[in-house]
Every structure is written in structure tokens, then in C-alpha cells.
Amino acid sequence: MNNMLYQSKTWLIENLFSSKLNIALSTFSIIFAYYFIASFLNFIFISADWKVVDVNLRLLLLGPFPKDAEWRIWVSIFWVTFMSGLSYKHLSTFHLKHLMNLSPLILFILFLIDPIKNIIITLLTLISFILFVMGYNFPYERIPKFSKNSFILFGWAITLPLIVIFLKIFGGVETTKWGGYFLNIMLAWVGIIFGFIVGLILAIGRASSLPAIKYSCTFYIEVIRAAPLVAWLFFAYLVIPDLLPGFFAGKVDIALRVMIVLSAFTAAYIAEIIRGGLQSVPIGQVEASKALGMNAYQTTSLIVLPQAIRAVIPALVSQFIALWKDTTLILAAGLAFRELLGSGKSALAQFEFIGRYNEIYLFIGLMFWIVSFGMSRLSYNFEKDLGLNRED
Amino acid sequence: MNQKNKIIIHAENVKKKFGDFYALKGVSMNVHEGEVVVVLGPSGSGKSTFIRTINQLEKHDEGKIIVDGTELNDDIKNLETIRSNVGMVFQQFNLFPHLTVKRNVALAPQKVRGLSVEEAESIAMPLLERVGIPEQADKFPAQLSGGQQQRVAIARALAMQPKIMLFDEPTSALDPEMIKEVLDVMKELAASGMTMIVVTHEMGFAKEAADRFYFFDEGLLVEEGTPEHFFTNPKEDRTKLFLSQIL
């Protein structure tokens, strides 16, 4: 024990207090960190009044989503947690450490939201957790038709369409009634999936040797990138309805238009990222593939694209995270419906919570951070997985 | 040796331009089935360009190339079929880095020949044994030495059961101590009766395995003949000069 103390003392002296300048810097940093952390913790646990979040939780998470249709969201969450459990097992093995890392977050949410008062939410969350565990232990290797990769890919591919249909059919909820955090998630999800698909097509198109395809793809990319996202959202809000033929009038609602704009906008950036990846694949790879008798489609899909996308995963994920946060811009464009940030502003407009900016924005920041960080961890695991298991 | 065998590659007055520069100024050559041909020449002589026209990685601008009875021209519908009958080994190996060694070898039989994964891999494993590295089957190319990578590349080309193998300076990118293991595989292949066109500076290999030599310079086929002819009595001054530099 004494030895350890002695060692840490030597370490401190060697690394933090070795010279006059180091002593000054270290002292200053320690004092600064102490005051910063102390006042931050003081705010969170003592001076903050989290009632504004507690009371408005439904508004923040779901916006105007009808209460009697909430079960549709819960069923969707169940499906997603089940699929997450499946994929989690594939990308990583369970360590208690993972749960430990999450525990501050879980404790903080429990601190914000009284689990006893919101007993139904607590129970449903527990069910999601059970489904996650079931997904983790799901014996998909017993289903003969699928390999495990294609099983997971197929599952995720049908997830988004399934959820959208499930939310809307049999007297479900119109997209204009979607709101809050849920809306951010849906917008980003749609934007990422369609942005990626269209972006991939554009990138390949731009590399095409046929001038008509090449220049129309280039034209699209340059036009989309020439204007900020907010301008395109105004375009969706004000201009598209006038441009549509009469038949569509009133049928393409604002949510759909925003989804189209987000996808189209993201696609242009994704296309350029993937183009960079395509250029990083040596020409020898194409020659080797051709020399084996593989046709242009096989060469692109089996040899070039896997390597190109692998090379640009970090840039792609950055773009996805940017899109995730850009979903708040639908507020700046003055659109009719409210995502998380807009719902937060509505909450702040309530008489009894006037001035509770810190609580609301901290909460919103936390909610955005959770998904951003999740995406970054996911991509990290995905990269590791590709390094070990790069099969089609 | 097998002059009675049928001609499998017939090239006639083949020309290739890059911009204004003629890389090939009219090359004619006949290769018989089972023959091992070594192509020599200084860099920039057009020897690599020539063998790349045989599987049309470079399109020739003029002249005629007939491979295994099919003329290579613009109308050709089944270029992929021709290519799958002509294996190629590159100087830089060009293995697919995102696939395991076994998948590198099995991919083309599976995708081009339409075999199942199991069938394709049952072709791949014996080939990896033939080139002496079955134990590396589940590794990725980057985990292998240069010599091992080039042997995988040979196995990959052989997996399509080609009638002709093209080697484009297969040992030039290798460390000296790894050259032998690749040449041994090539010698074994030559002995098995494969038709081979080899661009190389490895005169030991050439002396031992080649049936005919071709010497290229400045886009032209300058001299051809048996190994004995080249080693004892080359006619052209350019050939003599080149051989004196590399021997």
C-alpha cells in the first residue's frame, strides 16, 4: 500500500509537477476542472428542476402523436430491440463492461424519470430489454434457408418499411402527427437508408463511361450541394406543392416531402464520399477481376464496392451523424410539425417552465448524443467485424 | 517441342497506340498448345502490353488476335468466356484484400462458372495444396509474404481451369529469397503441359522451362528462337546487348 502511494507520488511529480511551468499549468487545470465539474454536478443534482422534462416527456419524445396509438410505437421498439440483440451478438460478444459503461446513463434517466410513477413505461422498457436478450440468444443458425449474415441483413432491410406500414395501417397515425424525438429518429433513418442507396447509385453513375449518365449524376450532385439544407427544406415546404401535378396535390404530405429532401440532400454527399472510395481502389483490382472472367457488374459489386465502402466507413458515419443532427433544421424552416428541439421550445413556452432553458437543452443534447455516440460505436464495431470477417 | 500441336494463340501484325505513341508496332506470333514461351525485352519494349492484349486488358488498335479459335474484336460478345480461359498472374499479385485466400481462389469459379460455394471451395483447396500453402486458406492476403501471395494468385488463375496462362513479370516485385518458391510452382505448371506466356527476366527459369524465346524491343518482335539459339548464338545486336546486360 505504501509502495503504491509512493509510486503514484513519483508519477505525479514526474508527469505533472516536473518544472515551474508544469506546476503552474497543473495547478490551474486542477482548479479549473474542480470548479467546472463541481458546478456541473451541483446544477444537475441540486439546482436544476427536472420537472420541466418530466412533465413534458411525452411532448418531447412523441410530439402530437396520439396517445391511443402509442402501442404501435412500442411494438416497433420491440422489433428493433429484438433485431439489435441479434446484431449485437454478431458484431460483438456481451461483456458486463458494456452494461457498466451504460450504467451512468441509465441511472441518470432513472433520476429524471420516476420509474414507479411511470410504471407502464418501466414495464414496457423491461419487455424491450427481454426481447433484446431473446434476440441475442435467437437460434437463427437453425433456420436453414439463411446464412447468419443474410438473416440479419434481411431483418434490418425489412425493418423500416415494416415500421412505417405498421404505424400507418388500420387507422394508424398520419405522418403529420409524428413528432418529438420519434420524428427525428424516423427522418434520420429514412434519410440514411435512401440517401445511401441513391448516393451509391450516383457515385457509380458519376464513374460511368457513358456521358449521359455521368453528366446527369454530376449535375445532380453539384446542384444539391450548391444550396444549404435549410433552403431545400423551404423548397419542400413551399415550392414542391406548386410543382406537383394536380393529381398529387394534398397527397404528398409535408413529412414525406421532408423525407425526400433529406434523402436527396444526403445522397449527394454520400455519392462524393463513395466516389472517393472508388478512386482509392487500385486499377489492378479491376484488371484481376476482369482477367478471371468476371463481368462489369460482378467486378463492381464483389471487388470494387466492398473495398471502396470499407475505405470510407468513417466518412460515411460522419455524414450520417451530421444528418441525424440536421433533422432539427426542419424547425428552422418553420415547418408545421415539431421534432425534439421544436418540442423543447414549446415546453419552454409553458408559463410555469419559463426560463428552464438549461434543463431542456441539456436533455435534448443528451438525447442527440446517445444516438450519435451509438452510431459511432456501431461503425467502430462494424469496421472491426469487416477486418475479421469480410465475406459477402 | 510440340510443334505438331494446334496453334492456340495466333497474333498477326498487332498494333497498339497510347495517344500518339505506338507501344506495339506490328507483332506477329504463334503459340502452340502446351508450349512455354518466354518474352524478353527492356522495359518499355511493349512485351507487357502484348500479353495484355491476349486477354484484352488492352484493346489492340490494328491486327488480328485469335485465341483458341475465337478472334478478339469489338463484336465479341463473350469476352468474359475468353478471359476465363486465359489465366493471368500480375507483377503486383492483385489479390482481393477483402477476401480470404480460399475465397480469392473460389470466387471466380463460383460467380463465373456458377458453382455452389462448396463446389468452388472443393476446387480451391487442392489448388492451394498444389501451390504449397493450404494452411493459409483462411488468412487474408495482407497476412501472407509476397511469395505466398503470388502463389495464391497463381492458384486463383488456375481455379478457372484456363487453357493458357499469362505471367506478367511474376517475380519482379518479390524479395530475392521468395523468387524460387514462385518459380518452382511455375516450373511444375510448365511440366504439366500448360500453355504459358511468361514475361520475365529470370533466365534460370527461362533456360529450364521455356520452349521458345521472343525478344521485344521498341514495340517490335526483334528475334525469336529456341533457348539454345538465344544463349549460344543470338543474331541481332540488340538481343546481344540485352542478354549481356542481364546474364
Side-chain angles (χ1 to χ4, degrees):
Chain A
M1 192 65 204
N2 267 332
N3 192 26
M4 246 178 75
L5 253 175
Y6 176 74
Q7 273 181 2
S8 36
K9 199 174 137 194
T10 349
W11 185 90
L12 277 176
I13 290 171
E14 274 173 13
N15 290 286
L16 299 179
F17 300 101
S18 55
S19 70
K20 274 179 189 160
L21 180 66
N22 268 358
I23 292 173
L25 284 174
S26 299
T27 317
F28 177 76
S29 310
I30 291 167
I31 294 171
F32 181 78
Y34 171 76
Y35 276 103
F36 181 76
I37 294 170
S39 63
F40 189 70
L41 290 178
N42 180 56
F43 171 75
I44 288 181
F45 292 107
I46 298 164
S47 68
D49 182 1
W50 293 102
K51 215 175 137 209
V52 58
V53 172
D54 194 33
V55 169
N56 288 300
L57 197 60
R58 204 175 172 285
L59 174 72
L60 291 167
L61 296 183
L62 294 177
F65 200 88
K67 210 167 183 137
D68 56 6
E70 257 176 41
W71 61 275
R72 290 170 191 267
I73 288 187
W74 278 107
V75 174
S76 308
I77 291 175
F78 293 160
W79 173 253
V80 169
T81 46
F82 178 77
M83 283 304 301
S84 308
L86 266 182
S87 321
Y88 181 77
K89 185 182 185 180
H90 182 62
L91 287 176
S92 168
T93 34
F94 176 76
H95 288 298
L96 201 61
K97 207 174 75 186
H98 297 183
L99 202 62
M100 295 288 284
N101 291 344
L102 275 179
S103 57
L105 186 65
I106 296 169
L107 287 176
F108 182 67
I109 290 173
L110 288 178
F111 170 73
L112 283 186
I113 303 156
D114 187 346
I116 310 296
K117 209 178 75 193
N118 299 298
I119 187 74
I120 298 169
I121 295 181
T122 313
L123 286 177
L124 289 167
T125 310
L126 279 177
I127 295 177
S128 327
F129 184 73
I130 292 166
L131 277 157
F132 183 87
V133 175
M134 281 172 66
Y136 187 75
N137 294 308
F138 187 74
Y140 48 78
E141 58 274 7
R142 287 208 209 124
I143 299 173
K145 220 179 134 190
F146 290 101
S147 76
K148 74 178 176 182
N149 282 7
S150 50
F151 185 81
I152 292 173
L153 268 178
F154 177 76
W156 280 116
I158 61 168
T159 297
L160 182 65
L162 264 185
I163 289 179
V164 172
I165 293 166
F166 185 72
L167 288 167
K168 295 189 83 163
I169 51 161
F170 302 131
V173 184
E174 292 166 50
T175 25
T176 42
K177 288 264 166 57
W178 293 6
Y181 196 49
F182 164 71
L183 179 62
N184 293 93
I185 291 174
M186 295 307 286
L187 289 177
W189 198 347
V190 169
I192 285 171
I193 301 280
F194 289 96
F196 182 75
I197 294 171
V198 177
L200 191 61
I201 294 168
L202 286 169
I204 296 170
R206 192 166 181 176
S208 164
S209 51
L210 301 171
I213 295 175
K214 180 183 171 133
Y215 291 116
S216 46
C217 288
T218 310
F219 179 77
Y220 174 89
I221 292 166
E222 297 305 338
V223 167
I224 292 282
R225 291 201 307 172
L229 180 57
V230 176
W232 287 114
L233 287 166
F234 274 122
F235 185 78
Y237 184 41
L238 301 166
V239 185
I240 292 181
D242 293 338
L243 293 179
L244 286 173
F247 171 76
F248 290 104
K251 290 195 176 156
V252 183
D253 66 40
I254 180 66
L256 188 57
R257 280 176 295 181
V258 166
M259 284 176 187
I260 292 171
V261 162
L262 284 174
S263 309
F265 185 81
T266 306
Y269 288 84
I270 301 271
E272 287 296 278
I273 291 172
I274 295 179
R275 190 167 71 96
L278 290 175
Q279 286 171 351
S280 77
V281 179
I283 184 74
Q285 291 290 311
V286 177
E287 289 182 346
S289 175
K290 281 184 180 171
L292 286 166
M294 295 212 267
N295 59 35
Y297 171 75
Q298 288 167 332
T299 301
T300 305
S301 65
L302 300 171
I303 305 302
V304 179
L305 272 184
Q307 294 184 51
I309 291 178
R310 205 178 121 69
V312 295
I313 285 177
L316 280 177
V317 174
S318 287
Q319 190 60 42
F320 293 156
I321 290 175
L323 168 68
W324 161 240
K325 289 174 295 182
D326 281 350
T327 54
T328 53
L329 288 177
I330 66 171
L331 170 83
L335 299 176
F337 60 146
R338 291 278 155 110
E339 42 65 68
L340 179 57
L341 192 58
S343 301
K345 290 199 170 171
S346 312
L348 286 172
Q350 293 156 359
F351 181 70
E352 55 175 320
F353 296 125
I354 281 174
R356 291 279 167 209
Y357 299 106
N358 292 352
E359 289 86 344
I360 283 286
Y361 286 129
L362 214 67
F363 177 76
I364 292 172
L366 178 72
M367 296 309 273
F368 275 101
W369 176 81
I370 289 172
V371 171
S372 305
F373 186 69
M375 279 199 263
S376 117
R377 296 305 300 174
L378 190 67
S379 89
Y380 176 74
N381 277 330
F382 197 57
E383 280 172 52
K384 264 204 327 204
D385 180 58
L386 282 174
L388 298 169
N389 175 15
R390 298 184 255 194
E391 184 42 46
D392 44 8
Chain B
M1 62 184 159
N2 295 312
Q3 292 298 319
K4 278 170 228 147
N5 283 359
K6 69 166 184 160
I7 292 173
I8 196 164
I9 298 170
H10 170 73
E12 201 178 302
N13 197 26
V14 173
K15 293 184 184 174
K16 171 72 191 174
K17 263 196 302 192
F18 293 112
D20 289 335
F21 171 72
Y22 270 95
L24 296 174
K25 296 171 182 165
V27 175
S28 301
M29 187 189 286
N30 282 327
V31 179
H32 294 78
E33 206 163 26
E35 233 183 346
V36 177
V37 166
V38 164
V39 178
L40 298 169
S43 62
S45 61
K47 55 193 194 303
S48 285
T49 309
F50 176 71
I51 73 164
R52 286 159 62 89
T53 59
I54 293 167
N55 65 356
Q56 292 286 287
L57 286 181
E58 305 289 356
K59 275 205 170 76
H60 55 296
D61 296 309
E62 284 171 53
K64 191 167 163 187
I65 303 175
I66 300 172
V67 176
D68 197 24
T70 312
E71 183 174 353
L72 307 180
N73 53 32
D74 288 341
D75 310 331
I76 207 157
K77 296 238 163 46
N78 47 354
L79 186 58
E80 279 90 26
T81 323
I82 303 276
R83 281 178 174 157
S84 66
N85 286 326
V86 181
M88 185 156 194
V89 176
F90 299 86
Q91 183 178 354
Q92 300 294 342
F93 328 138
N94 294 346
L95 292 179
F96 305 132
H98 60 302
L99 301 175
T100 61
V101 164
K102 185 163 69 184
R103 295 297 306 151
N104 260 279
V105 180
L107 186 69
Q110 192 188 327
K111 301 296 176 182
V112 180
R113 296 255 191 265
L115 303 182
S116 71
V117 178
E118 292 76 23
E119 286 170 327
E121 288 180 359
S122 72
I123 290 178
M125 283 316 292
L127 284 170
L128 288 175
E129 272 160 37
R130 188 172 170 187
V131 300
I133 37 176
E135 72 283 359
Q136 314 284 359
D138 294 316
K139 290 194 182 166
F140 287 95
Q143 296 167 287
L144 270 53
S145 73
Q148 290 174 326
Q149 291 193 42
Q150 193 61 299
R151 286 188 281 159
V152 174
I154 294 172
R156 180 177 69 176
L158 290 174
M160 291 301 286
Q161 291 156 334
K163 294 180 177 165
I164 302 160
M165 285 284 283
L166 309 173
F167 292 84
D168 188 1
E169 305 204 28
T171 55
S172 301
L174 293 175
D175 291 337
E177 74 269 22
M178 292 170 183
I179 290 176
K180 185 177 173 294
E181 62 187 63
V182 172
L183 292 180
D184 285 345
V185 171
M186 289 168 63
K187 283 178 202 164
E188 185 270 322
L189 198 59
S192 76
M194 174 66 74
T195 310
M196 291 162 67
I197 303 185
V198 186
V199 173
T200 187
H201 297 147
E202 290 296 328
M203 296 313 286
F205 166 81
K207 203 170 187 174
E208 193 175 326
D211 297 313
R212 292 189 77 71
F213 276 24
Y214 289 86
F215 178 71
F216 275 61
D217 195 19
E218 292 178 354
L220 285 170
L221 211 173
V222 176
E223 189 165 357
E224 65 170 285
T226 60
E228 295 77 41
H229 165 79
F230 265 74
F231 284 115
T232 56
N233 186 25
K235 274 192 308 233
E236 302 287 331
D237 288 341
R238 279 185 287 181
T239 319
K240 284 177 193 160
L241 180 66
F242 178 75
L243 286 172
S244 72
Q245 281 163 346
I246 63 166
L247 282 174

